[in-house]
């Protein structure tokens, strides 16, 4: 079944590469108008030029004023925001005892606080139109924890709590909020791994392979569609069985 998102307007943060770009492309392929968002506006515009129905926008999601301006600009350009995908995120890994305060703060700001700010700014229009789909990209690390990633795991676990709270607060306005928790996906980060580290990682995954960005994108498209109209406050794990 081909999902039809014609007439819907989507904003995807962190969508100039990797999982975010795949999500933006998948939404556009189903007919949605998509706002490509990245810190580098020129890069966002370049990526948007490759995707039918997309426009590029620059924004530092750690700066509240830039988020408010972004939402206003996207609403003006697309006519509104029906689908919000909070995908932007960073890592600054280290063992907890060696982790600097700045590394903790930076990851929580980029991964969790930005999602709160984006959701708060975007849901105003959704509430007026009585329709919205908010999809947060968390991680299996937010469910399992991970050595050397206390900041990242905490930020992703926080996203799950945010998802469930927003789902309860906004459900009366027909705004659904769900999260997707990817496992290890083929991205620039995993491509930089040594062959030995990659093999050790894969042996712990029941499906014995890394996921593809498109695996995550497909779940986003489903959650954004009417096929998931009775799904809210949920966390969909896409990890090849890793967290089973």
């Amino acid at each position: 079944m081909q999902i039809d998102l014609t007439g819907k307007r989507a904003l995807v943060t962190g969508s100039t590469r990797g999982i975010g770009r795949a999500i933006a492309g998948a939404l556009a392929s189903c007919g949605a108008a998509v706002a490509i968002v990245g810190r580098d506006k020129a890069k966002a515009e370049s990526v948007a030029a490759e995707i039918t129905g997309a426009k590029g926008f620059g924004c530092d999601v750690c700066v509240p004023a830039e988020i408010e301006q972004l939402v206003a600009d996207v609403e003006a350009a697309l006519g509104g925001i029906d689908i919000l995908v909070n995908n932007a995120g960073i890592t600054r890994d280290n063992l907890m005892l060696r982790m600097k305060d700045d590394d903790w703060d930076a990851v929580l700001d980029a991964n969790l606080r930005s999602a709160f700010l984006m959701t708060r700014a975007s849901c105003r229009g959704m509430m007026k139109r009585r329709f919205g789909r908010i999809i947060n990209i968390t991680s299996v690390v937010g469910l399992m924890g991970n050595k050397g990633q206390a900041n990242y795991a905490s930020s992703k676990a926080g996203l799950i709590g945010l998802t469930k709270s927003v789902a309860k607060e906004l459900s009366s306005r027909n705004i659904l909020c769900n999260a997707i928790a990817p496992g290890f996906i083929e991205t620039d980060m995993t491509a930089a791994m040594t062959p030995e580290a990659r093999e050790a990682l894969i042996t712990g995954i029941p499906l014995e392979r890394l996921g593809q960005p498109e695996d995550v994108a497909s779940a986003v498209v489903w959650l954004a569609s009417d096929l998931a109209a009775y799904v809210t406050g949920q966390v969909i794990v896409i990890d090849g069985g890793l967290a089973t």
Side-chain angles (χ1 to χ4, degrees), residues 36-217:
I36 304 293
V37 179
R39 183 174 294 185
D40 184 337
K41 182 179 180 181
K43 176 64 173 176
E45 291 175 337
S46 175
V47 171
E50 301 172 357
I51 300 175
T52 301
K55 295 181 181 296
F57 299 84
C59 178
D60 183 340
V61 296
C62 293
V63 181
E66 290 197 25
I67 287 177
E68 292 289 339
Q69 187 62 55
L70 169 69
V71 170
D73 290 345
V74 172
E75 288 182 335
L78 302 185
I81 299 170
D82 304 300
I83 302 162
L84 170 65
V85 183
N86 287 309
N87 171 73
I90 64 172
T91 58
R92 290 192 181 179
D93 298 347
N94 210 333
L95 295 176
M96 185 187 65
L97 290 175
R98 299 175 183 173
M99 186 172 290
K100 297 178 180 178
D101 292 353
D102 287 348
D103 291 336
W104 173 273
D105 292 341
V107 171
L108 268 290
D109 278 353
N111 298 6
L112 179 56
R113 185 168 182 259
S114 70
F116 159 68
L117 294 172
M118 282 295 313
T119 300
R120 186 176 65 180
S122 300
C123 75
R124 296 172 187 140
M126 294 178 180
M127 292 175 70
K128 291 178 181 178
R129 292 185 296 274
R130 301 187 72 85
F131 180 90
R133 301 289 185 265
I134 300 168
I135 302 162
N136 296 320
I137 307 302
T138 180
S139 169
V140 290
V141 170
L143 298 169
M144 301 167 54
N146 199 29
K147 181 171 64 177
Q149 289 192 309
N151 49 3
Y152 185 77
S154 296
S155 70
K156 293 301 187 177
L159 264 181
I160 293 172
L162 176 65
T163 297
K164 292 180 178 293
S165 297
V166 170
K168 291 184 176 181
E169 288 190 19
L170 301 183
S171 60
S172 65
R173 297 299 183 94
N174 193 33
I175 300 171
L176 312 182
C177 185
N178 292 286
I180 293 174
F184 292 99
I185 307 297
E186 292 274 15
T187 61
D188 293 344
M189 183 171 64
T190 54
M193 298 175 68
T194 65
E196 294 77 14
R198 184 184 180 89
E199 182 61 29
L201 177 61
I202 289 174
T203 58
I205 301 172
L207 285 184
E208 298 181 345
R209 66 174 178 87
L210 301 185
Q212 298 297 317
E214 291 73 20
D215 293 324
V216 180

